Amino acid sequence: MADEIPVIDLSDVDVAAPAIDRACRETGFFYVVGHGVDPALGQRLDALAREFFALPEEEKAEIAMTRGGRAWRGWFPIGGELTSGVADRKEGIYFGSELGPEHPLVRDGVVLHGRNLFPARPAQLGPTVLAYLDALTGVAHRLAECLAQALGLDRRWFAEHLTSDPLILFRIFHYPPDPSPGEWGVGEHTDYGLLTLLRQDDAGGLEVRSAGGGWMDAPPIPNSFVCNLGDMLERMTGGVYRSTPHRVRNTSGVSRLSFPFFFDPGWNVVVPPLPRDDGVADRWDGADPTVFEGTYGEYVSAKVAKVFPDLHRQSAS
């Protein structure tokens, strides 16, 4: 693992694939440019999100997650999300693919599936979120083609085996400035699925576990996405591709917004391990995704249940 986060141009998949392979082996993080997403879309999303987070809490609570049912969508206040059992110093909104009551998984009451809760103000936030999800899903499929080539698989392998119907989840997080000593916007963690594409604002604060076990900054780069790997890619590759720990602490003096987009295997997919390679190291949390047995839905729902234990208890009752 290197102590520098590479920048990779996605405009040519054949050129990007070997660079992504190196990044997945060395850092588990890389910046993506040349992705084709209109910068104006991200700027519009940022402006609308700031408008929402500036609203009074009672108005934001009109789309509270407690009103989202088993879809686990909506707004949560500062301290409402846990990382490794500790409350984060951030507020946010959970979104995902817009699924109506006729969808089989919604009809079966499967968590993390259903309709989004969009606020009345600003009225354009909902349509902008859905447009952003469409754009980022296209980028993620292109990245998956690069990963397949890097792993010596057919370019369409992910689309045919894992992501023909991907689980698409999206968050908008607001981190107030200047946390108290020892307080984190979000503590050390890894992501659960395949790929995360993160849009950052200008505030900074994202830190990535470095090769030597310390932490390195992942500063914002205009019109880029920070991409990192989730636990399922670590499982597939036997630890050769690492789901790298990361965390956030906003000491910028201004509010920070981040926009993580999660591109994950289909809910009922069993993620297969590929032939194991050397170089496997102990994880930050002592867990080993390579020994997990079951569907991706079972894996991710168990993880999210720990993040929002009250919602999990409410759904189980």
Side-chain angles (χ1 to χ4, degrees):
M1 188 184 290
D3 284 342
E4 182 176 326
I5 301 174
V7 179
I8 298 175
D9 190 333
L10 197 59
S11 57
D12 187 332
V13 169
D14 292 327
V15 174
I20 288 174
D21 181 59
R22 288 193 298 273
C24 291
R25 292 171 181 269
E26 295 175 355
T27 61
F29 267 76
F30 51 93
Y31 295 92
V32 170
V33 297
H35 45 70
V37 177
D38 186 353
L41 177 59
Q43 292 163 3
R44 185 163 69 251
L45 183 64
D46 183 286
L48 291 166
R50 292 181 190 279
E51 187 176 340
F52 172 80
F53 287 120
L55 294 173
E57 284 220 349
E58 57 269 22
E59 186 169 351
K60 289 184 283 190
E62 291 176 3
I63 60 163
M65 291 186 76
T66 52
R67 300 186 177 190
R70 296 183 65 82
W72 293 357
R73 309 282 174 85
W75 171 79
F76 67 87
I78 294 173
E81 185 174 34
L82 307 180
T83 300
S84 298
V86 178
D88 297 332
R89 192 171 187 268
K90 69 175 187 292
E91 62 178 319
I93 323 174
Y94 271 48
F95 301 105
S97 299
E98 183 74 5
L99 304 174
E102 72 287 349
H103 190 281
L105 294 176
V106 178
R107 194 168 58 240
D108 292 344
V110 175
V111 295
L112 292 171
H113 293 78
R115 292 199 180 281
N116 291 291
L117 296 182
F118 292 128
R121 292 197 304 161
Q124 286 303 305
L125 181 59
T128 303
V129 164
L130 295 179
Y132 189 80
L133 294 187
D134 285 344
L136 270 289
T137 300
V139 176
H141 277 296
R142 202 171 351 145
L143 276 167
E145 291 185 359
C146 291
L147 284 169
Q149 288 186 225
L151 291 166
L153 304 170
D154 180 81
R155 180 180 287 195
R156 294 284 300 165
W157 189 90
F158 282 91
E160 291 173 357
H161 295 277
L162 300 186
T163 58
S164 61
D165 183 19
L167 179 64
I168 300 296
L169 301 172
F170 176 55
R171 324 287 192 231
I172 303 178
F173 291 140
H174 167 229
Y175 298 85
D178 303 325
S180 302
E183 187 178 39
W184 290 91
V186 57
E188 180 179 357
H189 68 285
T190 56
D191 294 342
Y192 310 141
L194 286 179
L195 294 169
T196 303
L197 284 164
L198 173 71
R199 184 187 190 277
Q200 301 190 81
D201 68 4
D202 297 331
L206 174 61
E207 299 179 4
V208 176
R209 177 70 79 176
S210 70
W215 293 88
M216 56 182 173
D217 293 332
I221 295 177
N223 198 28
S224 74
F225 298 109
V226 180
C227 183
N228 66 277
L229 314 183
D231 292 346
M232 291 300 101
L233 269 171
E234 181 167 326
R235 167 181 168 74
M236 285 180 59
T237 62
V240 176
Y241 284 7
R242 298 299 303 280
S243 181
T244 303
H246 47 287
R247 64 189 186 183
V248 173
R249 193 163 191 263
N250 180 21
T251 59
S252 66
V254 297
S255 291
R256 175 186 189 266
L257 293 189
S258 71
F259 305 83
F261 168 92
F262 302 95
F263 181 76
D264 293 347
W267 187 261
N268 291 316
V269 167
V270 176
V271 178
L274 299 176
R276 197 176 182 96
D277 200 349
D278 295 328
V280 179
D282 292 336
R283 275 171 54 103
W284 65 284
D285 57 356
D288 184 357
T290 66
V291 301
F292 172 76
E293 298 293 340
T295 66
Y296 179 63
E298 291 169 333
Y299 185 85
V300 69
S301 58
K303 292 286 188 179
V304 178
K306 294 179 180 179
V307 175
F308 292 105
D310 290 341
L311 281 177
H312 171 63
R313 284 191 289 269
Q314 174 184 309
S315 297
S317 61

